[in-house]
Amino acid sequence: MWKYAFNKLLYGMAVLLGIIGVVFFLFNVLPGDPARMTQGQRSDIQSLEAVRKEFGLDKPVYIQFLYYINDLSVIAIHESDSITRKKYGYLPILNVSNRKSLVLKSPYLRRSYQSKRNVSTILAETIPNTFVLAVTAMMFATLLGIVLGVISAINQDTWIDRTANAFAILGISAPSFFAGIIIAWLFGFLLSDYTGLNMSGSLYNYDPFKGEVTTWKNLILPMLTLGLRPLAIIVQLTRSAMLDVLSQDYIRTAKAKGLSNYNIIYKHALKNALNPVVTAISGWFASLLAGSFFVEYIFGYNGLGKATVDALELSDFPVVMGSILFVSFIFVIINILVDIIYAFIDPRVKLA
């Protein structure tokens, strides 16, 4: 088991390294001179040279890439003045020379071209909002999806079943950005007098008298939009799994014993039908973090997605790179954990 987990971890690290290489090439090599993007078009030569020296932009591309890996690495070698300038939270491990040290540090995602703030600080302000949105959307999709899937299965081939299937197909087919526009226009504009909801708004707003206040109603529409597709998939998965379980011999035995429909469905059938649903939930949570980009932008929700799109419009590439790497890291970690859990539950997975 430990060997299997170690191999999966190495595979995940290789995937992350490949993603880092692609991201670095796309946003550091192709766009042009990052130093001029940092200082603006009217900057003087001395300022440009100082920025190029700070980020190693005066070096060949492969050296720049090694510097970037060094910045992202948790264990890295850095010059003492570099550690101070980049404001690392670090712990010295070993002095390599008079100026270089082996340190244990947090990943350094560099500074924003526009605000000059550390990218990690910008992400730390937006990630909690996106996390709240993803969790609530997943809870909404899971609870409602399981209920609708069970109702559809026990009413197979009726109008209830056909309506649930039609809804699931519509939810899977509609792109998130299109669904978001329709939901915002319908519930946040046309019916706003009845719903009390706005077309846009962040989770936290500033009140001149109360300061920062939590506006939970601004979470409703983006949550519905983001949870629509996983909801549709969970409905179909639950229905299919329930129909398969309800045809098993032990269910017929339970019926022959005279157990009530409630006990048969919710205490016997549903418990065994939830395995594929749990698999879908684990995979979809990471997808929701990435899928929130356009949803947050449509609803003006101040999260990781909106911050990334805003940074992309301003060519603020360090922020874009940092958000992409964070989402990629979440994807890799969740996939590794799911694989390890599968192997723990079913040892045949390790042999495969």
Side-chain angles (χ1 to χ4, degrees):
M1 185 65 190
W2 286 107
K3 182 179 179 181
Y4 177 81
F6 181 73
N7 290 335
K8 285 294 180 181
L9 183 61
L10 288 181
Y11 174 77
M13 293 175 62
V15 172
L16 281 177
L17 185 61
I19 294 173
I20 291 171
V22 172
V23 168
F24 176 84
F25 181 79
L26 287 177
F27 295 104
N28 277 73
V29 178
L30 294 182
D33 186 4
R36 192 166 292 280
M37 293 180 183
T38 305
Q39 298 298 311
Q41 297 299 322
R42 298 183 179 180
S43 57
D44 57 88
I45 297 178
Q46 290 78 6
S47 298
L48 291 175
E49 292 300 325
V51 173
R52 292 190 181 103
K53 183 176 181 181
E54 176 183 355
F55 293 112
L57 301 176
D58 54 341
K59 303 291 193 300
V61 174
Y62 74 94
I63 297 294
Q64 295 182 37
F65 180 66
L66 292 179
Y67 279 7
Y68 190 59
I69 293 292
N70 201 50
D71 283 341
L72 295 178
S73 177
V74 177
I75 299 178
I77 296 178
H78 280 280
E79 297 180 0
S80 300
D81 60 344
S82 175
I83 296 174
T84 303
R85 181 172 62 247
K86 295 175 181 176
K87 298 180 181 179
Y88 289 133
Y90 71 96
L91 177 65
I93 299 177
L94 179 65
N95 289 328
V96 179
S97 64
N98 292 333
R99 296 188 58 191
K100 294 183 178 181
S101 301
L102 184 68
V103 298
L104 179 66
K105 64 176 183 62
S106 58
Y108 177 61
L109 300 174
R110 301 189 173 178
R111 292 185 290 112
S112 166
Y113 289 163
Q114 301 298 325
S115 64
K116 305 300 186 295
R117 300 166 64 203
N118 281 351
V119 173
S120 57
T121 303
I122 297 174
L123 297 185
E125 294 173 352
T126 56
I127 287 173
N129 296 344
T130 298
F131 184 79
V132 170
L133 176 59
V135 169
T136 53
M138 198 70 250
M139 290 175 60
F140 158 74
T142 302
L143 297 177
L144 186 58
I146 291 175
V147 171
L148 292 179
V150 171
I151 294 175
S152 178
I154 61 180
N155 293 278
Q156 185 182 11
D157 296 330
T158 64
W159 68 270
I160 297 176
D161 185 28
R162 288 190 289 269
T163 302
N165 280 330
F167 169 77
I169 294 173
L170 179 63
I172 294 174
S173 303
S176 295
F177 65 88
F178 176 76
I181 293 173
I182 297 299
I183 291 175
W185 175 73
L186 183 61
F187 297 103
F189 179 70
L190 286 183
L191 303 176
S192 61
D193 292 338
Y194 305 99
T195 61
L197 303 176
N198 303 317
M199 290 186 66
S200 63
S202 183
L203 180 61
Y204 298 101
N205 291 317
Y206 182 79
D207 186 278
F209 300 102
K210 299 179 180 179
E212 190 176 61
V213 294
T214 305
T215 312
W216 289 108
K217 70 176 184 178
N218 291 338
L219 183 66
I220 296 175
L221 295 184
M223 177 198 69
L224 292 176
T225 304
L226 195 60
L228 187 60
R229 179 167 290 187
L231 168 63
I233 292 178
I234 290 173
V235 169
Q236 287 192 328
L237 285 175
T238 305
R239 176 186 180 275
S240 177
M242 281 293 294
L243 289 176
D244 180 63
V245 171
L246 289 174
S247 64
Q248 300 295 319
D249 292 337
Y250 72 91
I251 296 296
R252 286 192 287 268
T253 302
K255 290 180 180 179
K257 289 181 177 180
L259 295 180
S260 64
N261 288 333
Y262 176 84
N263 286 329
I264 293 173
I265 292 172
Y266 293 100
K267 291 189 177 181
H268 295 278
L270 183 59
K271 183 184 297 184
N272 294 315
L274 286 181
N275 288 337
V277 178
V278 172
T279 303
I281 292 172
S282 62
W284 266 103
F285 182 73
S287 299
L288 289 184
L289 290 175
S292 65
F293 278 39
F294 292 109
V295 173
E296 291 179 359
Y297 190 76
I298 290 171
F299 290 98
Y301 184 87
N302 186 26
L304 179 64
K306 185 176 183 298
T308 304
V309 176
D310 289 342
L312 193 58
E313 289 182 344
L314 298 173
S315 297
D316 198 353
F317 295 138
V319 177
V320 180
M321 295 167 68
S323 63
I324 292 175
L325 292 179
F326 172 77
V327 173
S328 302
F329 176 77
I330 295 298
F331 262 98
V332 170
I333 292 299
I334 289 181
N335 285 331
I336 291 175
L337 292 177
V338 170
D339 288 341
I340 292 175
I341 292 173
Y342 282 167
F344 182 78
I345 296 175
D346 187 357
R348 292 174 299 177
V349 174
K350 291 182 289 186
L351 298 178

